[in-house]
């Protein structure tokens, strides 16, 4: 059974703006899929739906055997917390918390924060010596690696990355992609949303959106 | 947040200060009012002319829960002084000075055990029309009337009260009782009691029902003035406290709303990371209550200093730090900041986690 399955998913805002129309695809466990498309193609809307931050107005979204179309906001939050690890283009680290504390924030909402686990994740992305630095003391690449460590801390079934290299220079872009390859090799399921063909090519498979539909 | 903390601290200072002043002022004002004379009179019951002076002790027992400033017994009799019939009061001058501290004296009060008499200012003019004060130190003859023994007394002083007492003479109670052969009898007892509002009424009822042969009577003018001033003070304190609470509420709400707006992205991020609305509510309410606790703590300490300063400057005496008032201020501050956080918290829970993906 696929880890993620979208069946005829559509999203209509205010009853007239159709952001997604008849989206069908599935992602197998351990697969790395890139969702690509120009601005306004519906990438963010699709990511919101897969990331349990919004509900499709039509169709079915099944994540790890759970139909997301039938559940309420609280349950969506719980699934987001339990099953999804998010990596953001703009990193979104809490500015007054250190690198390790930023990772522990995600642990806090999931269960009990554990410093050793958080440090282990930091080590995994090569930042064990930057644990007590504030985001303002880290480079863009380092911030993104903290963001990846935070996404991994609760052992998610799906890593959802929104333009993970969008704010990085080439060197850091390569470093982050290397981490994604390692995660993929470890068996993680990854969906990256990007408009960059270079990043899209790193994935096993690309789904291209255009005007809210999958471009065939 | 610092502004909110200052607002809460200022609010708590005023609440704590006002409540302390409100609690202390009735007692302090009560003492001040006692300077205007007795507020409770004890007179004989059943239209009798006198009653046993030992009843004063019974009245003191009834008043045991209240502070008694003084209790002055009086026996009034007409005596012949220098061949003129003068209404003379026998009293205990130590107690008289406590009950009527407003009496102005030229010379001295009659000393206990001495044959001395105090003359009212108007009476002094009768005895010494050109220079009333010259009567001080002179001897006068006193008797109970024609055919009774005449005794010589020295005028120890002249008293001005602004009232009828200026036409009277006063001597030690024992002397007068002996002259008129009325041992242990008195006509009236004046009590000055520190009691607030309706409690004087209760005292009156207790004495009426508990002690036979006497009848208590409140000095309405003083009791009413005291009651009126305290009632107005109560309304004023309540009004100021309510306004301060409202202003604190508005200030904290505004600040918390600014904090929520400022941290909108952080809230969105937390929600995107899986924070439930309960987590967000707990965090912001917790912050609000912590703010209230710290503000209340600072404020209650400052409030005590404020009340202490008011009490020292206005009444010339200090006040004790009240733990219950400090706790009340802290609890009120926590409640106010908690309530003030409700609207901001509601805004915080409405933040859409998707904002972090839109890069807003």
């Amino acid at each position: 059974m696929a880890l993620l399955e979208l069946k005829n998913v559509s999203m209509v805002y205010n009853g007239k703006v159709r952001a997604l129309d008849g989206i069908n695809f599935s992602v197998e466990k351990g697969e790395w899929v890139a969702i690509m498309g120009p601005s306004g193609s519906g990438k963010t809307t699709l990511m919101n739906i897969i990331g349990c931050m919004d509900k499709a107005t039509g169709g079915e979204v099944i994540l790890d055997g759970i139909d997301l179309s039938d559940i309420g906001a609280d349950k969506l939050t719980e699934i987001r917390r339990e099953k999804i690890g998010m990596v953001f283009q703009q990193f979104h680290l809490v500015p007054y918390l250190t690198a390790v504390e930023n990772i522990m924030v995600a642990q806090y909402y999931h269960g009990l924060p554990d410093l050793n686990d958080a440090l282990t994740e930091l080590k995994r992305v090569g930042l064990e010596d930057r644990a007590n630095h504030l985001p303002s003391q880290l480079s863009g690449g380092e911030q993104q690696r903290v963001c990846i460590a935070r996404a991994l801390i609760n052992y998610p079934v799906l890593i959802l990355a929104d333009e993970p290299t969008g704010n990085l220079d080439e060197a850091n872009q390569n470093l982050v992609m290397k981490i994604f390859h390692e995660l993929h090799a470890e068996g993680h399921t990854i969906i990256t949303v990007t408009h960059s063909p270079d990043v899209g090519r790193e994935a096993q498979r690309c789904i291209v959106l255009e005007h809210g539909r999958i471009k065939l | 947040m610092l502004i909110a903390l200052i607002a809460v601290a200022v609010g708590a200072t005023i609440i704590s200060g006002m409540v302390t002043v409100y609690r202390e002022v009735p007692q302090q004002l009560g003492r001040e009012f006692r300077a205007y004379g007795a507020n409770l009179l004890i007179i004989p019951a059943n239209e009798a002319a006198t009653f046993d002076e030992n009843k004063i002790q019974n009245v003191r027992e009834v008043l045991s829960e209240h502070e008694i400033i003084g209790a002055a017994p009086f026996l009034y009799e007409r005596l012949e002084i220098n061949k003129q019939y003068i209404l003379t009061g026998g009293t205990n001058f130590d107690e008289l000075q406590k009950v009527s501290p407003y009496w102005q004296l030229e010379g001295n009060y009659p000393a206990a055990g001495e044959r001395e008499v105090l003359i009212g200012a108007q009476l002094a003019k009768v005895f010494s029309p050109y220079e009333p004060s010259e009567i001080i130190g002179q001897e006068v003859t006193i008797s109970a009337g024609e055919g009774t023994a005449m005794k010589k007394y020295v005028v120890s002083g002249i008293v001005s009260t602004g009232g009828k007492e200026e036409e009277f003479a006063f001597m030690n109670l024992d002397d007068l009782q002996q002259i008129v052969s009325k041992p242990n009898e008195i006509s009236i007892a004046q009590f000055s009691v520190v009691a607030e509002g309706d409690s004087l009424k209760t005292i009156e009822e207790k004495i009426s029902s508990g002690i036979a042969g006497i009848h208590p009577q409140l000095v309405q003018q003083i009791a009413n003035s005291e009651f009126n001033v305290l009632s107005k003070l109560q309304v004023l304190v309540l009004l100021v406290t309510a306004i301060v609470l409202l202003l604190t509420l508005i200030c904290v709400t505004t600040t918390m709303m600014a904090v929520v707006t400022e941290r909108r992205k952080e809230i969105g991020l937390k929600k995107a990371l899986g924070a439930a609305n309960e987590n967000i509510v707990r965090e912001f309410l917790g912050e609000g209550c912590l703010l209230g606790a710290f503000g209340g703590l600072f404020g209650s300490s400052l409030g005590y200093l404020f009340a202490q300063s008011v009490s020292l400057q206005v009444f010339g005496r200090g006040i004790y730090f009240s733990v219950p008032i400090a706790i009340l201020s802290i609890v009120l501050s926590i409640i106010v900041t908690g309530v003030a956080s409700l609207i901001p918290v509601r805004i915080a829970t409405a933040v859409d986690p998707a904002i972090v993906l839109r890069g807003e």
Side-chain angles (χ1 to χ4, degrees), chain A residues 58-119:
Chain A
E60 281 179 24
V61 180
I62 297 161
L63 174 66
D64 204 19
I66 302 164
D67 188 350
L68 303 183
S69 347
D70 285 342
I71 56 177
D74 288 348
K75 188 72 182 165
L76 271 182
T77 302
E78 188 188 321
I79 293 169
R80 184 164 70 236
R81 181 168 60 228
E82 301 292 333
K83 297 193 180 293
I84 296 168
M86 289 189 144
V87 179
F88 307 105
Q89 178 181 2
Q90 288 162 330
F91 326 131
H92 292 306
L93 300 177
V94 182
Y96 52 85
L97 298 181
T98 61
V100 73
E101 285 166 347
N102 263 287
I103 296 170
M104 289 165 79
V105 166
Q107 280 183 311
Y108 171 73
Y109 295 120
H110 187 264
L112 281 178
D114 185 301
L115 179 65
N116 287 333
D117 283 356
L119 287 171

Side-chain angles (χ1 to χ4, degrees), chain B residues 124-353:
Chain B
K125 284 178 188 167
V126 173
F127 286 139
S128 180
Y130 300 108
E131 190 50 68
S133 59
E134 283 182 359
I135 191 81
I136 298 172
Q138 291 188 16
E139 281 191 345
V140 290
T141 53
I142 294 179
S143 73
E146 276 185 38
T148 57
M150 291 174 75
K151 292 178 180 173
K152 288 192 185 302
Y153 277 75
V154 176
V155 176
S156 66
I158 298 171
V159 67
S160 302
T161 66
K164 278 274 180 193
E165 298 89 348
E166 293 189 2
E167 295 168 13
F168 302 168
F170 294 92
M171 59 169 53
N172 283 307
L173 180 61
D174 298 346
D175 283 356
L176 185 58
Q177 285 170 337
Q178 200 182 346
I179 290 169
V180 297
S181 303
K182 289 184 178 176
N184 295 328
E185 286 185 46
I186 55 172
S187 319
I188 191 170
Q190 294 185 354
F191 276 80
S192 182
V193 188
V194 179
E196 298 153 27
D198 290 341
S199 59
L200 271 174
K201 284 268 178 205
T202 317
I203 290 170
E204 189 186 18
E205 284 161 16
K206 272 189 189 172
I207 295 170
S208 259
S209 57
I211 308 169
I214 59 169
H215 177 71
Q217 210 169 56
L218 295 181
V219 181
Q220 287 299 331
Q221 207 177 348
I222 290 193
N224 287 346
S225 303
E226 199 170 334
F227 183 74
N228 285 342
V229 169
L230 294 179
S231 300
K232 281 173 186 165
L233 181 78
Q234 185 180 27
V235 172
L236 182 73
V237 168
L238 282 177
L239 212 64
V240 170
T241 306
I243 290 170
V244 167
L245 281 176
L246 188 69
L247 289 177
T248 308
L249 193 80
I250 293 168
C251 188
V252 175
T253 302
T254 313
T255 311
M256 289 299 277
M257 279 171 81
V259 167
V260 167
T261 308
E262 193 182 301
R263 286 165 60 181
R264 194 165 159 264
K265 204 158 80 173
E266 183 190 320
I267 297 164
L269 168 71
K270 286 177 175 174
K271 291 180 97 171
L273 292 177
N277 279 341
E278 292 81 43
N279 295 111
I280 303 294
V281 169
R282 263 204 300 273
E283 279 179 33
F284 278 90
L285 269 188
E287 273 183 36
C289 292
L290 207 62
L291 188 78
F294 276 112
L297 202 65
F298 281 126
S300 57
S301 311
L302 289 175
Y304 166 69
L305 296 177
F306 164 71
Q308 177 76 289
S309 149
V310 167
S311 187
L312 281 173
Q313 284 183 23
V314 177
F315 300 109
R317 65 167 75 195
I319 50 172
Y320 294 107
F321 181 78
S322 164
V323 175
I325 289 178
I327 292 171
L328 176 78
S329 307
I330 294 169
V331 169
L332 263 181
S333 302
I334 292 173
I335 291 173
V336 165
T337 48
V339 171
S341 302
L342 289 180
I343 297 174
V345 161
R346 196 178 159 80
I347 295 171
T349 55
V351 171
D352 181 2

Side-chain angles (χ1 to χ4, degrees), chain B residues 72-111:
Chain B
F74 286 92
L75 174 65
Y76 285 105
E77 291 290 338
R78 279 194 177 278
L79 294 186
E80 207 178 273
I81 303 178
N82 283 357
K83 304 284 184 191
Q84 292 185 51
Y85 279 100
I86 308 290
L87 191 59
T88 306
T91 189
N92 176 330
F93 287 100
D94 288 338
E95 291 295 316
L96 174 70
Q97 289 175 66
K98 294 178 193 166
V99 172
S100 301
Y102 62 94
W103 281 24
Q104 291 180 355
L105 186 71
E106 190 182 348
N108 299 304
Y109 282 107

Side-chain angles (χ1 to χ4, degrees), chain A residues 32-37 163-166 168-171 173-174 176-178 180-181 192-206:
Chain A
W32 181 358
V33 175
I35 296 173
M36 298 183 67
E163 301 281 7
T165 57
L168 302 180
D169 57 26
E170 197 179 339
Q173 187 174 322
N174 292 336
V176 167
M177 278 298 115
K178 184 170 168 277
F180 273 103
H181 276 291
T192 47
V193 176
T194 182
H195 66 273
S196 159
D198 289 342
V199 175
R201 269 193 294 275
E202 302 280 344
Q204 286 174 295
R205 183 158 62 97
C206 270

